Amino acid sequence: QVQLVESGGGLVQAGGSLRLSCAASGSIVSINKMGWYRQAPGKQRELVAVIISGGSTNYADSVKDRFTISRDNAKNTVYLQMNSLKPEDTAVYYCNANIRSFTTNIVRDYWGRGTQVTVSS
């Protein structure tokens, strides 16, 4: 069974920084894409940033030049460094990973339970 566990959320003032982590564990064969999504109250879940196994990245326009996604393949962990945070960044942040597991031998998306990020003005 595969699990994704996020950590690092919290309350921060506007202009501050937070670093999110997400570790994948379980019967993992390989991980292709890893990323972060967020969902604010009353809004749809949206892509924040994604990184593929080769290291290529993609960001939402709203976070470019402020957020940086990275991964440690040896630890099956993805990070999101968030700088210059704004109140509009307030949301629940979800980790997502595209994983092939030993159990099923198929590739599918897995999600973490989410971590709250609150930015005060």
Side-chain angles (χ1 to χ4, degrees), residues 4-19:
L4 300 181
V5 179
E6 301 109 332
S7 61
L11 173 64
V12 64
Q13 288 188 332
S17 299
L18 283 174
R19 188 190 193 212

Side-chain angles (χ1 to χ4, degrees), residues 47-66:
L47 172 70
V48 176
V50 63
I51 183 168
I52 65 171
S53 58
S56 296
T57 59
N58 190 36
Y59 295 91
D61 288 342
S62 60
V63 307
K64 280 180 181 177
D65 301 324
R66 299 189 298 122

Side-chain angles (χ1 to χ4, degrees), residues 8-87:
L11 173 64
V12 64
Q13 288 188 332
S17 299
L18 283 174
R19 188 190 193 212
L20 305 183
S21 299
C22 170
S25 63
S27 57
I28 296 170
V29 175
S30 61
I31 302 177
N32 181 19
K33 180 180 61 174
M34 300 187 81
W36 292 92
Y37 290 72
R38 66 187 182 187
Q39 187 166 18
K43 295 188 177 181
Q44 289 188 331
R45 190 174 298 189
E46 63 176 2
L47 172 70
V48 176
V50 63
I51 183 168
I52 65 171
S53 58
S56 296
T57 59
N58 190 36
Y59 295 91
D61 288 342
S62 60
V63 307
K64 280 180 181 177
D65 301 324
R66 299 189 298 122
F67 290 9
T68 301
I69 190 169
S70 60
R71 63 189 282 178
D72 184 332
N73 291 328
K75 295 182 179 180
N76 290 335
T77 299
V78 63
Y79 306 95
L80 185 68
Q81 178 65 44
M82 305 185 293
N83 298 328
S84 302
L85 282 160
K86 304 176 181 179

